[in-house]
Amino acid sequence: DVKVTQSSRYLVKRTGEKVFLECVQDMDHENMFWYRQDPGLGLRLIYFSYDVKMKEKGDIPEGYSVSREKKERFSLILESASTNQTSMYLCASRGWASGTGETQYFGPGTRLLVL
Amino acid sequence: TQLLEQSPQFLSIQEGENLTVYCNSSSVFSSLQWYRQEPGEGPVLLVTVVTGGEVKKLKRLTFQFGDARKDSSLHITAAQPGDTGLYLCAGGVRRNTPLVFGKGTRLSVIA
């Protein structure tokens, strides 16, 4: 059974704090992604990684950084949290399987509130 | 820029009715995935289709990938309140590139 886990379901942080969101997958997938989801705006890609130590900017990378030191773990860092980063954060991993091609799975999400 | 247009954006129906959600693009995709997301949760993968013209069934849900691999549809028969949620389609382009997501269809099934 495929599994993507995220370190927290809910987080409350203060403006200016450094925030770490962790994501772990157990499927040996090469690709991992971080999205944020806001009402009316859909899913927006922040960063993605297609290999260990590799990272690529998505559509909205400003104010975020990422780290992928191990294949199974992809971290999202908010260097200095701001109120406009209050959102639902979703991690995903994607890999290839015979019969279905490349398939992407999401974690349960982290709802972040920045005060 | 590749886009996936989902329609309708919102749908409210009575229990027992049938419905179809559409996902359209002018671009060709290598695969098409459908997800359902409940409030406060991550999207859950329902199906992946990879072959033009492919039809897959998941209980009361029928998924179809267009012959030209530019569009897809999700048909629900005899909708139930448990089908309520946000339905997302996503198209695969090539390896090591992000999926292209539609904006979603928010379905509400009233008992």
Side-chain angles (χ1 to χ4, degrees), chain A:
Chain A
D1 198 20
V2 299
K3 190 165 281 186
V4 180
T5 57
Q6 295 184 228
S7 50
S8 305
R9 293 300 307 272
Y10 302 95
L11 271 180
V12 180
K13 296 291 181 182
R14 295 278 178 196
T15 302
E17 280 192 76
K18 192 168 186 175
V19 181
F20 293 87
L21 303 181
E22 302 278 333
C23 176
V24 178
Q25 51 99 358
D26 65 357
M27 297 164 281
D28 200 35
H29 284 170
E30 294 174 344
N31 296 287
M32 296 187 75
F33 306 84
W34 275 106
Y35 299 85
R36 63 178 283 178
Q37 187 177 35
D38 302 286
L41 297 177
L43 279 172
R44 291 184 291 169
L45 181 64
I46 304 171
Y47 267 97
F48 67 102
S49 168
Y50 55 86
D51 202 352
V52 175
K53 296 195 186 293
M54 304 301 289
K55 61 185 179 184
E56 295 282 344
K57 291 181 181 179
D59 301 317
I60 51 163
E62 296 79 18
Y64 303 94
S65 62
V66 290
S67 171
R68 192 157 181 214
E69 296 296 318
K70 293 185 178 181
K71 191 175 187 180
E72 68 271 17
R73 190 179 297 269
F74 192 34
S75 302
L76 179 69
I77 302 139
L78 285 66
E79 296 291 342
S80 176
S82 63
T83 54
N84 63 13
Q85 292 178 309
T86 290
S87 186
M88 173 71 140
Y89 288 88
L90 291 161
C91 174
S93 77
R94 189 166 99 227
W96 189 87
S98 131
T100 57
E102 288 216 306
T103 302
Q104 182 161 313
Y105 299 91
F106 283 87
T110 295
R111 192 169 288 282
L112 173 67
L113 173 62
V114 182
L115 299 173

Side-chain angles (χ1 to χ4, degrees), chain B residues 3-97:
Chain B
L3 292 172
L4 269 172
E5 302 281 347
Q6 269 188 257
S7 62
Q9 193 176 354
F10 299 97
L11 192 53
S12 182
I13 62 170
Q14 295 291 323
E15 183 177 2
E17 290 184 10
N18 301 333
L19 67 114
T20 302
V21 176
Y22 298 94
C23 185
N24 295 301
S25 177
S26 57
S27 304
V28 176
F29 292 99
S30 59
S31 65
L32 205 296
Q33 301 179 20
W34 285 92
Y35 298 84
R36 179 169 66 217
Q37 185 179 21
E38 298 187 16
E41 301 292 330
V44 174
L45 180 68
L46 296 173
V47 77
T48 301
V49 286
V50 298
T51 306
E54 184 176 2
V55 177
K56 280 192 175 178
K57 292 194 174 184
L58 187 67
K59 297 183 181 176
R60 293 176 294 99
L61 278 59
T62 301
F63 304 85
Q64 184 161 10
F65 201 12
D67 291 340
R69 290 185 288 126
K70 293 183 178 181
D71 55 83
S72 182
S73 63
L74 158 60
H75 182 79
I76 302 179
T77 303
Q80 298 177 2
D83 296 326
T84 293
L86 178 69
Y87 288 82
L88 293 163
C89 66
V93 180
R94 56 186 178 277
R95 281 190 81 138
N96 298 335
T97 59

